[in-house]
Every structure is written in structure tokens, then in C-alpha cells.
Amino acid sequence: MTDVAAAWAGALERFDWLPPWGQSLVLLGGAIGAALLIHALGVALVRRALKQGDIFWRSLVSRTRRPARLALALLAINLVSPFLPLQEEMAALLRQGLHIGMVITVGWASLAALDIAAAIHLRKYRIDVADNLIARKHLTQVRILRRAAATLIIVFTLAFALMTISGFRQWGVSLLAAGGAAGIIVGLALQPLLTNLIAGIQIALTQPIRIDDAVIVETEWGQIEEITATYVVVRLWDLRRMVLPLTWFIQNPFQNWTRDSATLIGSVFFYLDYAAPIEAMREKLEAIVRPSPFWDGDVMVLQVTDLRERVIEVRCLASARNGGDAFELRCAIREQMIAWLKADHPEALPRDRITVAAQPVPEP
């Protein structure tokens, strides 16, 4: 250390004609310039060494260039800070800023590593295919857990940054230890955030909902569009968005039409006269469904499911690959079946019958 101190002292003697702030700028500029040069050389060497290496480490080197550059600059400033002609108060303030900067840099690099790991994991799965159940499962888990982990990283980074300041460190320690009125207030304020954060982790693990699931919530049909760390966005059928807290899906019942599979069975009900030709309707249903691009080739059934005073209930079932296809297929069955009945079997449409009995004419 004595040799390094002597070298810096000799370097400063060359600029003794400058005021103290000028000497500080020269020394800081030289240290930061050397740090940037070392960073550029180091990145080039590491990239060359990892050219055929794992994609995670190559991506990490690329994404952490700025945090690494900032960390080296802060380290260089820390090394030359004892030789700066600064007053004690300014030197203490500089050291405090360097500590906070290093903590923030570590948090920044941690967030970048988290994003890279999540993106690399999701590259294995495609959600733009028909059978995307496994892909939606992993997409939901990774998005929720990544946001929860990012929230924790940000909270811990801010906490450690504040704890480097003596006044805040003492306040934080006494607050956690005493658990007094201020602790109760902070706990109550953070309760919604922590509750939703825990609910998000529970949803990621148990997965009652996933991205792109077809659900019915609050009597509205829609699809899960986004799951954040605190709320869920449901895209309704008419393009409105319903925003619900994560805890709502833990505490309330709802329908999930694609829980185990995206395949759905669509149902269409007709209320017809007792004279309706059931066998002919089965043949017509097959003629409608079989060539339809929305049918998945699995279920196609027509049955009389109820008898009422004036009409019979006829139920048509047809399966589709997803909720959107099931909706289109049901509409096609309704339109074409009604048109066929009106044209070829009008007697099958509901009607009211009135029987008029002949009354004897009284003799005069």
C-alpha cells in the first residue's frame, strides 16, 4: 500500500498547480477511464472464451455490461478515494454513495440474470400451437415467479441500500426489533402487497388459472390475458378487460373451461314440436359438423333430453379444439339447422294447437 500511495502522491504532485477540486476531477477521470478500458478488454476476453459456451452465460455477459461497467467505475473511485484532496465530510459522503451504488449494481445484475433465466426456460415452449397446455402451464409459472422474485430483489436491494446509511440502519433495526406502532402501521400498509404476492406464488404452484385459459368470472366469459404480481387481467368476449386481484381467484369460485385441456364440447338446444324428425336431424347435424373446420373430429351427438307440455328439448353436442372454435361451431349448428327445419320440416317448429269441438245445434 505504501508503494501505491507513493505513486498516487507523485501523480498528484504534477497537478499541484490546480485547485483541490481540479485535482479531484483529474484523479477521478483517470480512474474511471482506466476502469472503462479494463471493462472493455475484459468483456472482449470473456465473450471470446464463452463463444461456444452455455447460452445463459453468454446472455448474462451481454445483459450485464452496463452494471459491470458501473461496478468497475465505482471500484476504481473507491480505490482512489483515499488520495483525493477532499474534506472529511465530502470523503464520507463519497464513501456512502459508493456503498449505495455497489448495492444497486448487484441488484441490477440480479434482475438481469433473472430475466435471462426466465427467457431461456420459456424458449422451450410454444404457445401459438393448438395443444399448448404444457406451454401455458410453464408460461404462467415463470411469469408469476419471475415477478415475485423481481419484487423481492428490488425490496432487498432498497433495504440493503438504506442500511448502509447509519441513521436508517438504526431506525430499521429498532423498527423490526421493537414492533411498535410504526411497525404495525407499516405491516398494515404492506399487507395487501404481501397477500397478493403469496397468492401469486400459490397460483404459480397449484395453477387454478393459466395464461390464455377460458374462464367465467363474475358471470362474464373471457380469457386470462395477463397475470402480474398483484392482479389478473381477463380479456372478455367483447374486448373489455376485467382486472381482479390475485386473491380473488384463491377466495372465490369460478369456472375454468380449459383447466386440463383446451378441448371443449359445445351444446346447442332446440325446442321443437313433437313431430320433429329426430333421425333426419341427426343426419343433418352430421352434414353440418363433419365438414366444419371448427370440429376436432371427436364428439358429435344429437339427443332428446327433455319432454315438455308443448315441445321437446333436442340437444346437439359437438367438440372443438378451443373455446373460440366451439363458439363458432355452435353458431353454425344453430343457423343451418333452423334454416333446414324451416325449409324442409316446418311442422317441426313449435306451435300451439287448438281443438274445436262441434256443438249440437239446439232444435227450435
Side-chain angles (χ1 to χ4, degrees):
M1 288 295 296
T2 55
D3 296 337
V4 175
W8 282 115
L12 286 177
E13 289 178 356
R14 300 179 182 180
F15 300 95
D16 55 359
W17 52 274
L18 289 174
W21 61 267
Q23 297 179 19
S24 300
L25 289 179
V26 170
L27 196 56
L28 290 175
I32 294 175
L36 295 180
L37 179 61
I38 294 173
H39 174 264
L41 294 175
V43 168
L45 292 175
V46 172
R47 281 186 170 180
R48 187 171 183 178
L50 296 176
K51 190 174 184 180
Q52 304 298 329
D54 186 77
I55 187 174
F56 173 79
W57 296 108
R58 287 188 282 119
S59 301
L60 184 64
V61 171
S62 178
R63 288 286 301 275
T64 57
R65 288 182 61 186
R66 292 180 179 178
R69 187 186 298 121
L70 178 60
L72 283 177
L74 293 175
L75 181 61
I77 295 174
N78 186 58
L79 290 176
V80 301
S81 60
F83 310 103
L84 296 176
L86 299 176
Q87 297 179 357
E88 183 60 29
E89 294 181 357
M90 293 296 297
L93 185 61
L94 177 62
R95 288 193 297 270
Q96 188 68 62
L98 291 174
H99 293 161
I100 295 175
M102 289 301 296
V103 171
I104 294 176
T105 302
V106 173
W108 186 4
S110 301
L111 288 174
L114 179 64
D115 290 340
I116 293 171
I120 292 175
H121 180 75
L122 291 179
R123 288 179 59 183
K124 306 174 186 175
Y125 306 97
R126 293 183 56 189
I127 199 170
D128 57 344
V129 296
D131 188 10
N132 59 2
L133 181 63
I134 300 299
R136 291 190 293 111
K137 174 182 177 180
H138 286 271
L139 178 63
T140 302
Q141 284 183 334
V142 169
R143 282 189 177 181
I144 295 177
L145 294 177
R146 187 194 69 80
R147 285 170 177 157
T151 301
L152 291 177
I153 290 174
I154 293 173
V155 170
F156 280 113
T157 300
L158 292 177
F160 284 122
L162 291 175
M163 289 181 68
T164 59
I165 306 173
S166 59
F168 285 93
R169 180 173 64 248
Q170 296 298 328
W171 180 82
V173 171
S174 62
L175 176 63
L176 293 177
I184 295 175
I185 294 173
V186 172
L188 292 175
L190 293 178
Q191 184 178 2
L193 174 63
L194 297 176
T195 301
N196 281 290
L197 186 63
I198 295 173
I201 296 175
Q202 184 177 351
I203 287 176
L205 297 177
T206 60
Q207 294 209 332
I209 55 173
R210 290 178 293 265
I211 299 295
D212 208 34
D213 267 347
V215 296
I216 295 181
V217 292
E218 300 287 355
T219 69
E220 297 276 6
W221 184 90
Q223 290 181 296
I224 303 296
E225 183 178 53
E226 184 181 4
I227 303 177
T228 70
T230 55
Y231 61 87
V232 177
V233 179
V234 182
R235 184 180 69 250
L236 303 181
W237 64 273
D238 56 358
L239 300 184
R240 290 179 296 147
R241 265 60 174 182
M242 180 181 291
V243 181
L244 299 167
L246 283 172
T247 52
W248 190 94
F249 291 91
I250 302 297
Q251 301 171 356
N252 296 278
F254 62 94
Q255 294 185 38
N256 188 336
W257 288 13
T258 54
R259 176 68 178 83
D260 297 320
S261 173
T263 301
L264 291 175
I265 297 178
S267 60
V268 178
F269 290 90
F270 295 97
Y271 297 92
L272 305 173
D273 191 82
Y274 275 76
I278 301 303
E279 289 301 326
M281 290 184 66
R282 286 196 176 99
E283 295 176 1
K284 183 60 179 177
L285 177 66
E286 183 175 357
I288 296 171
V289 172
R290 191 170 295 278
S292 174
F294 304 112
W295 186 50
D296 65 354
D298 188 12
V299 177
M300 181 174 55
V301 178
L302 185 145
Q303 296 171 317
V304 178
T305 53
D306 197 7
L307 300 174
R308 301 184 182 181
E309 292 83 357
R310 293 182 176 84
V311 295
I312 61 174
E313 182 183 79
V314 180
R315 185 183 68 180
C316 301
L317 299 179
S319 58
R321 287 175 291 272
N322 52 59
D325 287 355
F327 178 81
E328 296 290 344
L329 185 57
R330 292 164 62 196
C331 292
I333 293 173
R334 291 190 192 100
E335 295 170 1
Q336 298 183 42
M337 186 69 76
I338 288 296
W340 174 75
L341 288 173
K342 288 171 61 178
D344 295 353
H345 298 278
E347 74 280 0
L349 300 178
R351 66 181 65 189
D352 290 328
R353 295 178 175 84
I354 299 176
T355 302
V356 179
Q359 296 292 332
V361 179
E363 294 182 1

